[in-house]
Amino acid sequence: MTSAHPPPAPGRELSNPPTDGISNLRFSNHSDHLLVSSWDKTVRLYDASADSLRGEFMHGGPVLDCCFHDDSSGFSASADNTVRRIVFSHGKEDILGKHDAPVRCIEYSYAAGQVITGSWDKTLKCWDPRGASGQERTLVGTYPQPERVYSLSLVGNRLVVATAGRQVNVYDLRNMSQPEQRRESSLKYQTRCVRCYPNGTGYALSSVEGRVAMEFFDLSEASQAKKYAFKCHRKSEAGRDIVYPVNAIAFHPVYGTFATGGCDGFVNVWDGNNKKRLYQYSKYPTSIAALSFSRDGRLLAVASSYTFEEGEKPHEPDAIFVRSVNEIEVKPKPKVYPNPPA
């Protein structure tokens, strides 16, 4: 079936992108501001609608993750082992504290009023940013993990921690003394990304081997029977399968459908409940390193940024595309039931 419409452009490319690999990007919960962390040692704040760079903050090492606190401040996780708070309006930053190795992930919990960081030092730390500056006053707790932390995700009071060795720990933020559940990934290969469903019932987890697993928190037999995994971000060439890492997962805030981004340069949109692919955007210049929907789901930010999965080689420049999302791309299609026989 050929469509009369040409495939939509990749979106509007933001000016002043990072000068090295993009580690993450996130929309604010309050506006179309976009926070971007990069291996070029910066965190940048953009107004995605106006295509303007609102602020830039230099760190002592590559920045591996970032998140918003509110529209005027955010937090960052750096390879120089530091956890920083950044105040955009005053152009200042302070160090909340440190890990013993690079800090890979950072999240802010509105439910707990805490910053949560995961590091390659095999620990999770919780911080109270309201404490005065200085590690002793801001550190709430340190929680050992089975392996290096690769990805974190929050929904309400639930925290999901994915580590090396395919381990997954599920915590209740109100009782961090031990995980509520200790799991193993149902995928055979290294975990790349974990993201909780917006409705709080489970999480999606992606691996380096072109697969995504859909998991549920409820351990009852009925709930566990609903879990499944699917292949994606692959292609057949000369009779063999070429398989790409799935680096990014982002849920649509209105419809609960989700986008995945892979090292194949494609962004796919999925309806997890109906096990269907809704849309595939035209190919981006290089690997998709990160994805984020805006708070109302009208915009999708895409980091097209080589993730060095094939080592040092010439590659397209790092770029951020902001695309307007059409409802048809993200809205689940109603199930069509066959007409009963007359």
Side-chain angles (χ1 to χ4, degrees), residues 23-41:
S23 55
N24 204 6
L25 47 71
R26 300 203 202 209
F27 272 108
S28 162
N29 282 344
H30 307 283
S31 68
D32 290 341
H33 286 175
L34 187 69
L35 200 59
V36 180
S37 53
S38 167
W39 285 80
D40 69 3
K41 304 184 181 178

Side-chain angles (χ1 to χ4, degrees), residues 11-144:
R12 197 179 66 249
E13 191 173 343
L14 291 186
S15 12
N16 303 304
T19 56
D20 200 347
I22 296 164
S23 55
N24 204 6
L25 47 71
R26 300 203 202 209
F27 272 108
S28 162
N29 282 344
H30 307 283
S31 68
D32 290 341
H33 286 175
L34 187 69
L35 200 59
V36 180
S37 53
S38 167
W39 285 80
D40 69 3
K41 304 184 181 178
T42 67
V43 173
R44 285 173 165 83
L45 176 71
Y46 297 90
D47 181 331
S49 300
D51 184 18
S52 69
L53 180 63
R54 303 291 295 271
E56 188 175 352
F57 300 85
M58 281 301 291
H59 287 39
V63 191
L64 304 183
D65 200 4
C66 60
C67 67
F68 277 97
H69 177 209
D70 51 34
D71 237 22
S72 59
S73 65
F75 303 102
S76 66
S78 176
D80 69 2
N81 306 359
T82 62
V83 179
R84 294 169 194 248
R85 174 192 5 222
I86 306 163
V87 183
F88 313 134
S89 42
H90 301 117
K92 71 181 179 78
E93 51 177 284
D94 56 11
I95 292 179
L96 277 188
K98 288 190 166 165
H99 277 267
D100 296 330
V103 192
R104 176 64 188 87
C105 330
I106 192 158
E107 292 286 341
Y108 178 71
S109 164
Y110 292 90
Q114 290 178 7
V115 178
I116 297 140
T117 52
S119 164
W120 291 339
D121 68 6
K122 305 184 184 179
T123 70
L124 194 66
K125 293 191 181 208
C126 292
W127 314 85
D128 184 346
R130 294 162 297 198
S133 223
Q135 188 160 346
E136 313 68 56
R137 294 186 288 281
T138 55
L139 183 64
V140 176
T142 302
Y143 310 99

